[in-house]
Amino acid sequence: MLYTHATIITVDPSRRIIEDGAIHVKDDLIADLGKSEILRAKYPNEEEYDLSGRIVIPGLISTHMHTPQTLLRGTADDLELVSWLCERIWVLQGNFTAEDGYAAARLSIGEMLKSGTTCFLESMFADRYGFDGLCRAVEESGIRGCLGKIVMDIARYAKDDAWAMHPGLVEDRETSLLGTLKMWEKWNGKANDRIRVWFGARTPGGVSDGLYREMTALSREKNIPITMHCAEVRADRDFFASVKHTPMSYCNSVGLLSPSTVLVHMVHLDDSDIATLAASGTHVAHCPTSNAKLASGICRVPDLQRAGVNIGLGTDGAPCNNTCDLLQEMKLAGIIHKSTSYDPTAVPAETVLEMATINGARALGLADRIGSLEVGKKADFVAIDTRRIHLQPWFSPVSAVVYTATGRDVDVVVVDGRMLVRNGELLTMDEAEIMREAQQRSREVVARAGLTERVQARWPVE
């Protein structure tokens, strides 16, 4: 297939932008890339897909996502993190079935694909959600998924026993750690290597030192990456202080810091933490909307960048965003740090696009395959339709993508050389069926949790 007449933002090492560009896709790879006129002459018999008026970017990579939580969109608004978790989200998730987990995964994936995300890192999938169903949803949809299965053995948040997990979510070493190994053996590398299985460790305070050390040893032995929330709220700092550590000194003490680890949020760090993090090669997933909505604080992104830390971008879950649209996340990522630093150049649009593409690929250990548009890499790309009044005029295509476009402007999505979205419509999933099932199952989960009245509108509904 020859995709022609697009403005192509390659995010290649030279960061070139090709006007009236074309991509030649052969099987699941980018076989050629250049000016439309040249490629059309080189491949005269190739089927052509005209992308006039579109900006093509590498497929977006979300480095932090909770697929089950999309079923709970809007159920826990305007709460700080610990109340949000203990009183709403854990209670709701503790009433999930495996069928609910599969429906939620399909809903999340459908939304991600339609808004331009072609690869995602699931952070912490509990056993009760049905990990097989998550893998099936990835396999069937065509998306690329790095899937973190939960590792835990302590059923509380941080250091306070009052912040207890719902009983339905409690897991032990055998179910979580050993269960992850079983799923890794079963699913890792499946679906033409679109599925990778990760350890999805709970936040410190939810995992014993011994289990962390066992997990990190297995990670090194078997090359299984790790993702974990860390230093998200002040309660996390309090936990680290209670064991006489800073966030990064603790992570270092149990073997968590490595180029195969993605730490999420990382809001409450001091200067020594940043230096330790940079020296270790550990990656950070930045989730500005979640951190702002839950009043957790703002990640020190400019300081992390100056230290050389690789930073990806994530939407987090739908109850704290409330969307899986990484394009919307990109805009906030480009704006929020200007406000806090009083520096309009703090995190420019180009840096944000790198976070959502090549930086994300580095964080997931996939930079040799995805994250930029280069010959020999996987054919994962997204076409954004600029033939709309709210996207005209534009002068810099990067600015148009980061500051103007949203997921609703995504026209075409290709993953592994296969078109999954065309004219903004899903090709591999039945969107109407997914929505019907999600609506039904979300209400059933809320009812089982006994929270129907508490999640309703605060204002009177007639």
Side-chain angles (χ1 to χ4, degrees):
M1 176 73 79
L2 196 61
Y3 295 87
T4 59
H5 303 305
T7 297
I8 302 175
I9 305 173
T10 63
V11 199
D12 69 5
S14 68
R15 299 301 191 260
R16 64 179 174 147
I17 296 171
I18 306 171
E19 293 186 338
D20 193 12
I23 301 173
H24 180 215
V25 174
K26 187 172 183 180
D27 299 324
D28 58 353
L29 300 175
I30 297 174
D32 208 347
L33 186 70
K35 290 284 190 179
S36 293
E37 180 181 9
I38 295 172
L39 265 64
R40 292 182 75 201
K42 286 175 71 174
Y43 310 104
N45 299 320
E46 197 70 55
E47 182 182 357
E48 188 173 332
Y49 193 97
D50 191 337
L51 289 175
S52 297
R54 282 78 148 192
I55 297 172
V56 169
I57 60 175
L60 299 177
I61 299 167
S62 180
T63 53
H64 186 60
M65 170 64 188
H66 294 269
T67 54
Q69 291 183 1
T70 308
L71 210 63
L72 309 177
R73 195 193 322 264
T75 59
D77 291 334
D78 306 326
L79 298 169
E80 55 77 36
L81 177 68
V82 177
S83 300
W84 179 88
L85 270 177
C86 297
E87 298 172 13
R88 294 288 177 88
I89 299 305
W90 280 347
V91 178
L92 290 162
Q93 291 180 162
N95 280 277
F96 262 54
T97 65
E99 292 75 21
D100 298 327
Y102 177 62
R106 295 178 74 215
L107 181 67
S108 299
I109 290 168
E111 182 181 354
M112 284 191 285
L113 284 174
K114 288 194 68 173
S115 54
T117 292
T118 59
C119 180
F120 70 98
L121 175 54
E122 160 62 49
S123 178
M124 213 161 48
F125 204 84
D127 191 72
R128 71 172 302 120
Y129 309 153
F131 195 82
D132 285 327
L134 171 62
C135 294
R136 285 202 318 274
V138 171
E139 187 173 40
E140 293 160 358
S141 68
I143 202 168
R144 201 177 296 281
C146 296
L147 311 177
K149 188 176 182 301
I150 197 167
V151 175
M152 66 164 291
D153 60 350
I154 300 173
R156 67 168 184 259
Y157 191 92
K159 66 184 183 71
D160 195 329
D161 289 333
W163 299 338
M165 293 186 80
H166 186 277
L169 290 176
V170 176
E171 298 185 27
D172 57 15
R173 171 185 175 273
E174 285 68 28
T175 304
S176 63
L177 180 71
L178 301 187
T180 302
L181 289 177
K182 289 177 182 176
M183 290 298 101
W184 178 77
E185 291 166 356
K186 181 176 182 178
W187 286 103
N188 193 64
K190 294 297 175 64
N192 196 33
D193 204 25
R194 286 187 291 106
I195 295 175
R196 298 287 182 92
V197 177
W198 286 44
F199 290 123
R202 274 205 64 217
T203 312
V207 184
S208 66
D209 290 3
L211 190 59
Y212 272 137
R213 290 192 178 102
E214 185 178 3
M215 178 188 71
T216 55
L218 286 166
S219 171
R220 292 187 293 271
E221 176 191 339
K222 297 180 178 294
N223 195 29
I224 304 175
I226 298 167
T227 187
M228 185 186 77
H229 298 67
C230 189
E232 183 176 2
V233 292
R234 290 190 182 96
D236 294 324
R237 279 302 301 228
D238 293 341
F239 167 79
F240 293 121
S242 75
V243 292
K244 297 180 171 53
H245 276 290
T246 70
M248 292 304 95
S249 72
Y250 177 83
C251 289
N252 194 42
S253 74
V254 294
L256 281 163
L257 300 185
S258 88
S260 296
T261 297
V262 176
L263 296 179
V264 185
H265 299 301
M266 300 290 277
V267 173
H268 296 275
L269 304 178
D270 58 27
D271 291 346
S272 69
D273 288 320
I274 292 175
T276 301
L277 186 66
S280 72
T282 305
H283 311 275
V284 168
H286 179 35
C287 305
T289 301
S290 170
N291 296 155
K293 187 166 184 275
L294 292 171
S296 302
I298 299 173
C299 180
R300 295 173 59 184
V301 166
D303 294 333
L304 289 165
Q305 289 176 330
R306 281 189 287 271
V309 176
N310 181 56
I311 306 170
L313 203 62
T315 60
D316 209 339
C320 59
N321 191 304
N322 294 25
T323 176
C324 305
D325 183 349
L326 201 61
L327 281 162
Q328 292 190 48
E329 200 72 28
M330 289 165 66
K331 180 172 183 176
L332 183 59
I335 290 172
I336 196 168
H337 304 289
K338 303 181 195 311
S339 174
T340 58
S341 68
Y342 301 97
D343 178 4
T345 69
V347 182
E350 289 78 9
T351 298
V352 175
L353 185 57
E354 289 170 340
M355 286 183 191
T357 55
I358 191 64
N359 288 9
R362 290 191 188 106
L364 303 186
L366 298 173
D368 60 334
R369 297 169 177 240
I370 61 173
S372 61
L373 301 179
E374 301 178 60
V375 173
K377 280 196 170 186
K378 291 285 189 176
D380 289 16
F381 58 88
V382 172
I384 296 169
D385 194 344
T386 66
R387 301 170 301 173
R388 301 175 180 185
I389 193 167
H390 65 278
L391 278 160
Q392 292 293 333
W394 58 265
F395 298 92
S396 161
V398 177
S399 172
V401 169
V402 173
Y403 292 133
T404 311
T406 74
R408 294 175 181 84
D409 300 311
V410 169
D411 181 56
V412 170
V413 175
V414 174
V415 179
D416 239 17
R418 181 186 180 193
M419 192 183 294
L420 306 183
V421 175
R422 183 176 60 217
N423 298 325
E425 300 298 326
L426 291 169
L427 300 180
T428 57
M429 308 174 78
D430 185 333
E431 186 172 345
E433 177 199 354
I434 289 170
M435 289 193 296
R436 280 194 303 270
E437 185 172 13
Q439 288 166 355
Q440 175 188 336
R441 289 193 173 277
S442 65
R443 283 159 176 74
E444 291 173 353
V445 169
V446 170
R448 285 199 299 271
L451 292 176
T452 301
E453 295 302 319
R454 296 185 69 184
V455 304
Q456 301 301 321
R458 295 189 180 98
W459 290 354
V461 178
E462 297 181 355

